[in-house]
Amino acid sequence: MEKEARASPGETGKVLKQGHAALGLASQKLRDAFGLQIPNELLNVHSRVLTPPRGDKVSNAKPNDAFLNAAVLAIRDGDANDFKSLRDIDFAEAVKLLQAVLVHKGVAPSTLNDGMIRAAVLDISLIPEDTPSRSEATRLIKRDGIDFLSQKRSGKPSILFVFLSKHDEHIRASITAMCDIKLGIQTVFLDSKTMRKALSLKRDRIKAAAAVGAPSTPQTEAHIPYLFSVALRANAKLGARNFRFSTPSGKMFDDAMFVGISTSAKQGQPAVVAVVASRDGAYVEYPATIRWQEANRRVSTFCLHSNHF
């Protein structure tokens, strides 16, 4: 920097001109995309306030047939809100309510309501919590839960809805790793207690309609906000799009990538850095990479140079 600062005005102008071109600041593409230009002298820089992109809902022209191959697994783990068995009337009604919401939101075909999707209830409450990772319970879930469901009808399910009452991070993490990574089955977790509240809400609506002599419609019964978010999350996991970004600022977003970087650290533990970046024109697909923060290394740069992006 000192060398360039001591250069003559002519030499400095030459360096600035070369850098101006090398950075792409003199390109026609910059002027077309952003509607501004930067003069060679860099004495002043034009600016422009851009309208941020807006998220718009996408109406699916065709419901996702992958939901026809869905399955439900309810885990009993000693909580009062657990669903007891396949013969539990509340469990059967909860599964049918979930199906109705998927159809009502337009993410699943109407034929999903023709029958009850395959389901299983698994009791792990009698297995002692022998290890912090609850390895024995995880093996039972795979053998008597996931493998059992995969043997029925259409083979391996496309997506597995898991009803849990206890917020056991080891059980949840084990099911996620097993299904999403090893078996290629998408997973969505639902809280059993919240599902029971949804059932109560549906029943109250039926009673209220009956009290005034009005019929209760499937649309009214399936209007459960909690399950709306579940339906959208499941739809996205099966490869569909729920939202897209509109770009009122014009061409500047044509070749753009949205990047998010975050770090997290707890006392006495290595820091974790995560990077996500969009890879499609609608900016809804975000591959992610995550690494431990190593000493004297810029891990965020390593994440950005990962093959994901």
Side-chain angles (χ1 to χ4, degrees):
M1 291 180 66
E2 291 181 3
K3 177 183 175 182
E4 301 298 341
R6 291 196 301 266
S8 65
E11 291 175 343
T12 303
K14 185 178 179 180
V15 170
L16 286 174
K17 188 173 182 180
Q18 290 173 345
H20 193 268
L23 292 172
L25 301 179
S27 68
Q28 183 68 33
K29 188 174 182 180
L30 176 70
R31 289 191 288 271
D32 291 343
F34 290 92
L36 52 85
Q37 59 184 353
I38 301 175
N40 291 344
E41 298 79 11
L42 296 179
L43 296 177
N44 56 73
V45 178
H46 298 176
S47 65
R48 178 184 170 198
V49 178
L50 299 172
T51 305
R54 183 183 67 252
D56 294 327
K57 291 183 179 180
V58 175
S59 57
N60 295 325
K62 182 181 178 182
N64 198 335
D65 289 338
F67 282 106
L68 297 175
N69 195 27
V72 174
L73 175 63
I75 305 294
R76 289 185 60 186
D77 201 11
D79 189 271
N81 293 295
D82 288 338
F83 292 103
K84 307 308 178 187
S85 68
L86 283 175
R87 296 181 179 180
D88 185 341
I89 297 177
D90 286 348
F91 177 64
E93 191 175 347
V95 174
K96 292 294 290 183
L97 177 59
L98 174 61
Q99 294 176 216
V101 172
L102 292 173
V103 173
H104 175 57
K105 287 298 292 180
V107 300
S110 58
T111 51
L112 185 68
N113 282 331
D114 292 347
M116 181 172 161
I117 59 178
R118 48 184 158 166
V121 179
L122 188 62
D123 189 355
I124 63 171
S125 61
L126 300 179
I127 300 177
E129 299 183 12
D130 51 351
T131 61
S133 62
R134 302 195 68 182
S135 54
E136 184 61 33
T138 301
R139 283 192 289 268
L140 180 66
I141 290 171
K142 182 180 186 303
R143 186 191 68 200
D144 294 349
I146 299 169
D147 288 350
F148 170 73
L149 288 169
S150 297
Q151 295 170 4
K152 290 188 172 185
R153 289 191 290 183
S154 304
K156 182 175 70 175
S158 58
I159 188 166
L160 181 66
F161 294 95
V162 183
F163 291 179
L164 282 173
S165 52
K166 277 189 176 179
H167 295 284
D168 189 321
E169 61 182 27
H170 300 296
I171 292 297
R172 181 168 181 152
S174 297
I175 294 175
T176 301
M178 186 192 316
C179 292
D180 290 21
I181 299 174
K182 295 182 180 179
L183 302 177
I185 302 173
Q186 298 296 327
T187 53
V188 175
F189 291 85
L190 297 91
D191 181 69
S192 297
K193 182 178 181 179
T194 307
M195 282 301 300
R196 290 188 178 277
K197 289 182 179 178
L199 284 177
S200 297
L201 178 60
K202 173 192 170 183
R203 291 165 181 164
D204 289 344
R205 286 178 177 166
I206 293 174
K207 290 179 181 178
V212 296
S216 177
T217 64
Q219 290 77 12
T220 303
E221 295 174 15
H223 190 78
I224 311 293
Y226 165 68
L227 293 180
F228 285 175
S229 63
V230 170
L232 294 176
R233 190 162 71 247
N235 195 41
K237 286 201 168 191
L238 288 174
R241 291 177 178 174
N242 299 317
F243 301 93
R244 67 178 168 218
F245 281 110
S246 62
T247 53
S249 297
K251 298 180 181 179
M252 65 162 290
F253 288 103
D254 286 353
D255 300 318
M257 172 187 282
F258 287 85
V259 178
I261 303 176
S262 179
T263 58
S264 177
K266 290 184 178 181
Q267 188 174 5
Q269 298 180 5
V272 174
V273 60
V275 176
V276 297
S278 63
R279 67 175 183 184
D280 68 315
Y283 313 110
V284 293
E285 296 180 12
Y286 283 80
T289 184
I290 186 168
R291 295 286 187 278
W292 291 110
Q293 174 69 56
E294 301 175 22
N296 302 319
R297 188 178 184 187
R298 192 183 294 275
V299 181
S300 58
T301 303
F302 174 74
C303 288
L304 279 171
H305 292 165
S306 139
N307 290 333
H308 285 299
F309 311 119

